[in-house]
Amino acid sequence: MSQQLMKRVFLYVVGLFMLSFGVSLSIYANFGVSPVSSLAYGLSLITGVSVGATTIFTHIIYIIIQMIILKRFDMKYALTQLIIAFLFGFFVNATITISTLLLPVAGTLILQWVYLALSLLMVACGLFIYTNAQYTLMPYDELTQVISTTYKMPFGKAKIIGDVSNVIIAIILCLTFLKTMGSIGIGTI
């Protein structure tokens, strides 16, 4: 592996870790999670399965949807995204554990807002680092790119469609099984 590729992979992994820590902080803030994580977190609340595991599950669904849209199966492409899904799911579980062990419970509104602000900062930094590593996109972002390219629409429009779809599915599932909005809140906006 070349020095340049090793540097890109390292930055990518650091970006994924920061992104997962941002997700964990948004969960800890208890104001709702980002649209990207809303379905995985909603499934976790419904099933009691870890957020990391449900994140892996939803990412596998995103990979399958990509293959359906593209009408092809590329083993290397799918395997790379699957590895990324497992790594990100592991990081989400790890950072939730770290948050639980090291951070005080968000028992006040001020602390909830602090965690939400830190979450947004960590997600922004994680996305910046992970995308600038110019390595494979995570399954959800790759699905957005596939939709954008296949249906010839701006990436931003495809992203909005994906985010709104995720949130609507999460709301329906949470209202059906939990009788609450579950993973959706002000932090989702």
Side-chain angles (χ1 to χ4, degrees), residues 102-145:
L102 299 179
L103 299 175
V105 175
T108 66
L109 196 55
I110 291 172
L111 201 48
Q112 284 180 284
W113 280 106
V114 167
Y115 288 155
L116 179 61
L118 288 173
S119 165
L120 294 173
L121 179 65
M122 291 297 285
V123 167
C125 290
L127 282 171
F128 179 79
I129 293 169
Y130 133 77
T131 55
N132 280 315
Q134 297 177 343
Y135 200 62
T136 304
L137 293 173
M138 287 178 50
Y140 184 83
D141 296 327
E142 188 65 36
L143 175 58
T144 303
Q145 183 64 46

